[in-house]
Amino acid sequence: MTDPLSLGLIGVSEGNGHPYSFSAIVNGYDDDGLAASGWDVIHDYVREKHPSEVGFDSAQFTHVWTQDDAETERLRAASGIPNAPEGFTEMVDAVDAVVVARDDHETHADFARPFLEAGVTTFVDKPLSLDVDELAWMRPHLESGLLMSCSGMRYARELDTPRANLADYGGLKLVRGTVIKDWDRYSVHMLDAIFNVVDADPVSVRPADAPHESVAVETDDGPLVQIDALGDAAMTFDVELYGSEQVTRHPIRDNFRAFRRLLWEFVGQVRSGEPAVPPTETLERMRVVVAGRRALDTGDRVAIDSVEI
């Protein structure tokens, strides 16, 4: 039997519980430790799962670093992570792969660089980066299979049926994605969810007149894709598909299975050395996010190919 991979975990960023979700899914969890983390929603959905669904045989988080020692200790207690190095770069020679579980994209290149330069396979939480120079530097690492980045919504089980039966919709006319918070950090959730179902290429974006951040994504030969980032709102990760033969609505709420599928894909990439997500798709998603930010700032239509990476 192949020995489990040793994974390093880097976190946290404000309002992002992914370090707790990811480590509980891979390592399993201590009920009291996870309850004390303050992430009640994560504790609730993890403890509802059957023991067979929690924990990986093929990988374990063995090292964790955060910028806050107390937070690091909470993570260790929640998921039994044995090692807490003083600096995150100490993990470069200690782990087989690393997960940067922060969604403050401005820090991603700094955290990923030491690992990528040392040849350590790295997962970076969404969004990868909105800086085109950083994306250009990351591109060869995506292409070589050393880097992976996406939203767990790419693997949402709620979209399994439309993904497998897209022809049932007839001609798709409109796809809508609605999400909480802001365009920069959260639009990629909807982009990954939608464009892993819909076979179309974005060609331009334009801002919509709305009291929140709203962007229309025009595609080459597919439907219009409308993304609304509502800001502060009740929990919303929803996809709606409008076709000539069928209309369906899909609230995405099963974060556990989306994250488990994501982490399973990442472990597979570490083992195989092959990209789990086509690099062209990762870069296209980031082009749309960058183009959308430019459209929202200027009020103009922005061509996707004007975002050069």
Side-chain angles (χ1 to χ4, degrees):
M1 182 176 178
T2 305
D3 291 337
L5 294 171
S6 173
L7 305 180
L9 180 65
I10 293 173
V12 292
S13 53
E14 184 177 357
N16 180 22
H18 290 183
Y20 287 96
S21 297
F22 290 179
S23 58
I25 288 167
V26 172
N27 282 25
Y29 67 97
D30 177 87
D31 192 68
D32 290 338
L34 190 54
S37 71
W39 285 98
D40 294 344
V41 65
I42 297 172
H43 182 225
D44 288 344
Y45 72 60
V46 170
R47 65 179 177 170
E48 290 173 356
K49 301 300 179 288
H50 188 272
S52 65
E53 298 180 88
V54 180
F56 277 27
D57 293 331
S58 56
Q60 286 283 289
F61 281 108
T62 59
H63 294 69
V64 58
W65 178 91
T66 80
Q67 68 276 29
D68 182 299
D69 290 345
E71 194 76 69
T72 299
E73 290 308 308
R74 283 191 288 271
L75 273 164
R76 294 182 68 194
S79 296
I81 304 173
N83 301 297
E86 290 187 7
F88 73 92
T89 58
E90 293 178 28
M91 290 193 284
V92 168
D93 296 320
V95 299
D96 298 307
V98 68
V99 173
V100 181
R102 300 173 56 127
D103 67 356
D104 49 350
H105 57 84
E106 301 90 348
T107 71
H108 285 170
D110 289 339
F111 283 120
R113 189 180 303 274
F115 297 95
L116 294 174
E117 290 181 343
V120 178
T121 309
T122 302
F123 177 84
V124 174
D125 209 351
K126 57 77 197 164
L128 179 55
S129 177
L130 273 64
D131 184 309
V132 294
D133 292 330
E134 289 180 353
L135 289 168
W137 175 79
M138 293 170 172
R139 181 173 189 160
H141 298 301
L142 288 166
E143 293 171 342
S144 72
L146 205 59
L147 175 61
M148 177 181 173
S149 180
C150 67
S151 164
M153 299 301 134
R154 176 183 176 88
Y155 304 109
R157 69 161 181 82
E158 293 90 343
L159 298 176
D160 287 350
T161 297
R163 189 162 30 241
N165 301 280
L166 198 59
D168 293 350
Y169 289 84
L172 267 181
K173 300 177 179 294
L174 172 68
V175 181
R176 300 192 67 171
T178 311
V179 70
I180 58 172
K181 300 191 179 180
D182 58 275
W183 171 268
D184 289 1
R185 288 186 302 150
Y186 274 68
S187 64
V188 68
H189 282 309
M190 292 295 99
L191 293 169
D192 267 348
I194 290 167
F195 285 103
N196 201 34
V197 173
V198 175
D199 184 18
D201 293 321
V203 294
S204 64
V205 298
R206 53 183 169 81
D209 186 11
H212 54 267
E213 292 183 319
S214 180
V215 172
V217 182
E218 298 160 326
T219 63
D220 53 356
D221 56 358
L224 181 71
V225 175
Q226 182 78 29
I227 307 290
D228 289 281
L230 300 179
D232 293 331
M235 184 58 65
T236 308
F237 291 83
D238 294 355
V239 172
E240 304 166 48
L241 298 98
Y242 296 86
S244 59
E245 302 296 326
Q246 184 172 257
V247 173
T248 61
R249 297 172 176 84
H250 306 271
I252 300 173
R253 299 295 183 268
D254 190 351
N255 288 350
F256 178 89
R257 287 185 177 84
F259 292 155
R260 187 173 177 86
R261 290 176 178 189
L262 181 157
L263 291 160
W264 186 88
E265 292 281 358
F266 177 61
V267 168
Q269 177 167 324
V270 179
R271 294 283 188 195
S272 70
E274 297 296 323
V277 177
T280 53
E281 292 186 13
T282 303
L283 294 169
E284 180 184 81
R285 303 291 188 272
M286 292 302 97
R287 282 191 173 98
V288 175
V289 175
V290 173
R293 171 42 55 201
R294 293 177 182 176
L296 288 166
D297 288 345
T298 64
D300 297 328
R301 176 182 274 104
V302 177
I304 303 302
D305 62 11
S306 70
V307 180
E308 297 182 7
I309 298 174

